Amino acid sequence: MATPFQGKLERVDACRVRIPRDSVPGMRVDGMIYADETLMKSVKGDPCVAQVANVATLPGIVKRSLAMPDIHFGYGFCIGGVAATDPAGGGVISPGGVGYDINCGVRLIRSDLCRSDVEPRVRELTDALFTTIPCGVGRGGKVKLKGRQLDDVLARGAASVIDRGFGVPGDTEMTEDHGCLAGADPGCVSDRARQRGGDQCGTLGSGNHFIELQVVDAVFDKDAAAALGIEQGQITVMIHSGSRGLGHQVCDDAIRDLRDVPRKYGIELPDRQLVCAPVHSKEGQRYFKGMQAAANFAWANRQIMTHLARQALSAVLEQPWERIGLHLVYDVAHNIAKMESFPVGTVTKTLCIHRKGATRAYPPGHPDVPPKYRRIGQPVIIPGDMGRCSYVLVGQPGAMEHTFGSTCHGAGRLMSRHAAIRAAKGRSIHKELLSRGVYACARSRKGLDEEQPDAYKDVREVVSVVENAGISKIVCRLQPIGVIKG
Amino acid sequence: MSAPDAGFEFQEHTADVKLHVWGDTLAALFQAAATGFYRLIGELVSTDVGETVTIELQAPDATDLLHDWLAELLFRFDTRHLHISEIEFAQISDAYLSATGQGRRVDLERSRFDSEIKAVTYHGLEVKQRRGRYEATVILDL
């Protein structure tokens, strides 16, 4: 079982702490945690630091094992972990480096509405989202996918459901990788995974997943905000969900299937959840292709919910969604493994980038940033807790240099679920949120208690670290006014 | 978090839930794990009369068998909303189990759901025998 980290920790600068390579046997590279003194206090005694060191033992890992400031304890990898492996140098791919909720991610939709347009109708709009978008335990969706239709979603992602009327072609342009990883192979997704996902495409799920109605309450970079179509006082919609039961099963299948694979390739692992296979091996490829299919399912899921959110808001406001300007700003994945190119020494290498609770953050000028945003950098959407705020950032050159084009993904939990429930005893989180100007609809009271604002780190501290470290830049802040939770 | 003789308790974990289970026999351990698993999901109210469900699993050891057992209950819950009770183990060893139970569909309207379980993790999972008692701690990803 996990124990607090006993090895060395060296502060590099105000934003970074190094775990030197010699502090734990088997480390191939240094570990590097992005955290200031305040954030480090909540991290120091936590076993998540040991997880950063464990990841540094993986074969073929390049440069360093990274953790973003929203680091907390995960399985195998910490949450907030980033690791690049070099397939040409025996690098491995690990399902633990992606997590169970493959391509859990977040998207932001803008609008032409301002605060005063919706203020008297926040309840009505939030209720409409709550009744239109299936959420909570066991709630199936309106879209049932079987056989070839499911194969098409697994192969083509968001475009597959757009072809069936859930959105417009322009939506994929504003989605990371156009909402589709081309290497997906539906044949690598088991029957069990298909059965778990069959009626869950277009459903929010539960836990930390949410949809928020928000208001842009501060703009820090007017120029970048304008490029994103965002201004002070504007209403936005944020959707946070992943690949549902299908993705969870793909990960579970892989961990089971890969059980004896490390031994076969002579890989010694400090933790079974780090089970892995060389990227180029047949076992590694099988996971990689299935994981990409699950990632595509997640993009289709968020795409269907986008369509449903547009319908819900349009029905209340009695205007077509196009007239309300409900366009997708961007969609980012935060649990994923992808092949991406980065300079390593004097050459450019194609590496397998694992992001587990971390977001891609490409800088201005990068060819994979949509042309509309290329001048400002790739949008990065950082959900906070439901009482405080969320942020939009853009990628910066430092990310290419130091973090394999990656940044943080959220606030990161601070309290255990039990502690949060204890802290909520005798209180009504629903009423407290109301007094903060947030109307919340939740299927489960316990779920709301567990997700209360105090259960999370202050996202402001997290984003200030990534900005000060030069890996991304804050554009604007979004304040929730309506929340739906499963 | 629960009565001491129930064979399970929930323990602290930052993002997810640790289910600690124990029993005098493997069958009791697996039974306690099932009870704790459903308790974590919520207060489940079942609908109609049950159907007899048979589960047969093979695994390399008791630890994997416990993982696969809970993963199987999760699969049946996630796909068909089945709550399996009155579980009886016809056979159970470190590497094999054969069980039957009554599977009843959960009434989504009348049940109270607390948590959506995404997966049964292998993190720190080990079925141990101590002073004639079986024990394990399972972390469930929420």
Side-chain angles (χ1 to χ4, degrees):
Chain A
M1 205 37 98
T3 44
F5 184 68
Q6 305 292 340
K8 270 186 272 179
L9 287 173
E10 299 169 358
R11 182 154 283 286
V12 177
D13 54 31
C15 304
R16 295 184 294 176
V17 171
R18 182 179 16 241
I19 310 171
R21 194 161 77 172
D22 60 1
S23 59
V24 173
M27 283 176 77
R28 296 166 196 259
V29 293
D30 287 350
M32 187 74 82
I33 302 172
Y34 281 72
D36 60 14
E37 280 295 345
T38 318
L39 286 170
M40 209 53 209
K41 269 183 210 146
S42 68
V43 167
K44 241 175 200 164
D46 196 279
C48 62
V49 180
Q51 294 184 318
V52 182
N54 286 347
V55 169
T57 69
L58 290 178
I61 186 164
V62 178
K63 283 188 180 173
R64 50 192 80 86
S65 163
L66 298 160
M68 297 297 120
D70 44 347
I71 177 173
H72 61 90
F73 186 68
Y75 311 108
F77 280 57
C78 66
I79 312 294
V82 177
T85 58
D86 182 3
V92 293
I93 184 164
S94 170
V98 175
Y100 285 99
D101 199 356
I102 295 167
N103 190 6
C104 187
V106 50
R107 58 170 55 190
L108 184 71
I109 299 158
R110 65 172 299 286
S111 78
D112 290 336
L113 304 165
C114 65
R115 188 172 200 146
S116 56
D117 294 329
V118 304
E119 201 120 72
R121 307 183 76 178
V122 170
R123 264 172 199 257
E124 210 183 332
L125 290 163
T126 310
D127 287 344
L129 290 170
F130 192 59
T131 51
T132 309
I133 298 163
C135 62
V137 178
R139 301 284 164 166
K142 288 148 195 158
V143 185
K144 313 273 183 232
L145 295 170
K146 273 203 284 204
R148 283 163 68 178
Q149 283 179 337
L150 181 53
D151 278 345
D152 194 61
V153 165
L154 295 171
R156 295 172 57 228
S160 170
V161 295
I162 289 173
D163 284 354
R164 295 175 60 192
F166 297 98
V168 289
D171 292 339
T172 58
E173 267 173 59
M174 296 308 167
T175 303
E176 182 172 333
D177 292 298
H178 296 90
C180 175
L181 294 179
D185 180 354
C188 295
V189 175
S190 70
D191 275 344
R192 286 170 82 86
R194 286 160 180 270
Q195 284 181 56
R196 280 184 72 179
D199 73 341
Q200 294 185 347
C201 205
T203 67
L204 184 64
S206 182
N208 62 358
H209 296 157
F210 66 79
I211 297 178
E212 277 184 7
L213 203 59
Q214 307 163 321
V215 59
V216 179
D217 81 328
V219 172
F220 303 96
D221 182 337
K222 262 194 179 163
D223 177 50
L228 298 172
I230 286 176
E231 58 184 27
Q232 177 91 18
Q234 185 181 23
I235 298 299
T236 56
V237 179
M238 188 178 277
I239 300 175
H240 176 209
S241 186
S243 48
R244 315 287 293 114
L246 183 137
H248 311 158
Q249 191 64 41
V250 166
C251 179
D252 193 54
D253 289 342
I255 292 174
R256 192 187 319 213
D257 295 347
L258 294 177
R259 178 190 161 104
D260 297 319
V261 169
R263 203 178 313 144
K264 175 177 166 187
Y265 293 98
I267 301 166
E268 272 188 52
L269 295 173
D271 175 357
R272 183 169 176 190
Q273 287 279 154
L274 284 177
V275 69
C276 57
V279 179
H280 284 328
S281 66
K282 75 173 193 301
E283 297 92 344
Q285 281 298 305
R286 187 177 163 77
Y287 166 65
F288 190 39
K289 289 172 181 173
M291 187 275 300
Q292 292 182 81
N296 290 346
F297 184 87
W299 272 313
N301 180 35
R302 291 197 289 276
Q303 182 62 42
I304 293 175
M305 285 191 284
T306 301
H307 173 77
L308 296 175
R310 283 169 174 160
Q311 277 191 328
L313 301 180
S314 159
V316 173
L317 300 167
E318 295 176 322
Q319 282 192 68
W321 68 262
E322 293 88 344
R323 287 267 295 280
I324 315 169
L326 294 170
H327 300 295
L328 182 58
V329 175
Y330 205 62
D331 174 304
V332 286
H334 54 221
N335 286 354
I336 206 155
K338 293 198 296 187
M339 302 305 291
E340 293 175 359
S341 296
F342 292 94
V344 178
T346 52
V347 292
T348 296
K349 285 190 174 182
T350 301
L351 304 173
C352 179
I353 311 296
H354 298 75
R355 295 192 183 99
K356 186 187 190 179
T359 316
R360 197 184 72 175
Y362 282 168
H366 194 289
D368 289 342
V369 177
K372 192 179 158 198
Y373 302 146
R374 203 161 291 163
R375 188 173 58 79
I376 59 163
Q378 178 217 305
V380 175
I381 302 151
I382 307 295
D385 62 74
M386 59 187 167
R388 280 174 286 208
C389 53
S390 297
Y391 282 88
V392 180
L393 284 64
V394 282
Q396 291 292 286
M400 294 305 278
E401 210 178 307
H402 300 296
T403 57
F404 301 104
S406 312
T407 190
C408 60
H409 87 304
R413 276 194 86 87
L414 196 59
M415 270 187 202
S416 75
R417 291 180 187 272
H418 281 143
I421 289 167
R422 276 198 305 273
K425 251 203 176 121
R427 293 158 57 194
S428 160
I429 299 300
H430 180 82
K431 279 188 189 153
E432 285 178 23
L433 286 168
L434 265 185
S435 72
R436 292 164 92 148
V438 184
Y439 172 67
C441 290
R443 286 252 177 248
S444 150
R445 181 189 163 139
K446 193 176 162 208
L448 203 59
D449 291 353
E450 286 178 355
E451 295 292 319
Q452 62 175 292
D454 297 342
Y456 285 87
K457 292 180 198 174
D458 189 342
V459 70
R460 288 173 294 194
E461 283 175 23
V462 172
V463 295
S464 83
V465 169
V466 295
E467 179 165 84
N468 292 334
I471 58 180
S472 32
K473 183 168 188 287
I474 301 171
V475 176
C476 65
R477 190 173 66 201
L478 314 162
Q479 198 186 32
I481 51 175
V483 179
I484 80 164
K485 300 282 290 180
Chain B
M1 291 297 285
S2 65
D5 58 352
F8 73 89
E9 64 181 358
F10 298 115
Q11 298 176 340
E12 294 287 326
H13 186 277
T14 311
D16 299 301
V17 161
K18 261 190 210 172
L19 171 62
H20 178 216
V21 292
W22 59 90
D24 291 338
T25 59
L26 271 180
L29 181 83
F30 278 55
Q31 174 65 63
T35 312
F37 171 86
Y38 290 117
R39 182 62 199 80
L40 180 63
I41 296 174
E43 268 179 28
L44 303 178
V45 180
S46 301
T47 45
D48 44 20
V49 232
E51 53 181 279
T52 302
V53 173
T54 309
I55 296 176
E56 208 186 335
L57 298 168
Q58 264 178 313
D61 54 37
T63 297
D64 274 57
L65 193 64
L66 179 60
H67 167 276
D68 292 357
W69 167 243
L70 291 177
E72 186 65 35
L73 300 184
L74 175 59
F75 176 73
R76 304 214 183 194
F77 182 81
D78 212 22
T79 49
R80 297 190 54 220
H81 307 142
L82 278 193
H83 176 195
I84 303 170
S85 57
E86 297 163 49
I87 296 165
E88 281 181 36
F89 293 93
Q91 264 195 68
I92 184 162
S93 68
D94 279 0
Y96 175 81
L97 73 77
S98 161
T100 54
Q102 287 303 304
R104 293 184 180 85
R105 277 179 180 261
V106 167
D107 183 331
L108 296 180
E109 297 307 322
R110 286 159 61 213
S111 298
R112 192 197 78 207
F113 294 105
D114 295 334
S115 320
E116 183 177 53
I117 299 173
K118 287 180 180 169
V120 181
T121 78
Y122 289 96
H123 190 97
L125 181 61
E126 197 188 345
V127 173
K128 285 184 210 160
Q129 236 183 321
R130 260 213 309 235
R131 279 170 273 155
R133 195 173 84 149
Y134 290 92
E135 247 185 279
T137 305
V138 193
I139 298 182
L140 299 158
D141 189 20
L142 301 185

